[in-house]
Amino acid sequence: MLDPCERFLFEREISFLQQLKELGSNESESLLKAIDEEIDFLRLVLDENQQ
């Protein structure tokens, strides 16, 4: 289980990556796909640690 500090850091990173994706919407598909994959991974870790 994640402690509150770890959870906060994961949520901040997800937020940062979403902003980066919006700013880089004209960038290459591979970059946007990599950002999406990282967001999905972080959400998966958060979801697994909520149980």
Side-chain angles (χ1 to χ4, degrees):
M1 186 138 180
L2 295 175
D3 67 38
C5 184
E6 290 171 318
R7 181 167 189 73
F8 172 77
L9 292 174
F10 272 81
E11 290 170 352
R12 286 278 301 178
E13 186 171 356
I14 290 170
S15 176
F16 170 76
L17 289 169
Q18 288 171 329
Q19 291 174 13
L20 182 63
K21 184 179 172 188
E22 289 171 15
L23 291 173
S25 61
N26 295 327
E27 298 298 323
S28 71
E29 286 296 314
S30 60
L31 173 62
L32 298 178
K33 184 174 186 246
I35 291 171
D36 278 337
E37 289 173 357
E38 185 67 12
I39 290 170
D40 290 344
F41 171 75
L42 292 169
R43 285 186 174 145
L44 178 67
V45 171
L46 282 174
D47 289 346
E48 286 181 354
N49 281 283
Q50 280 185 317
Q51 298 173 3

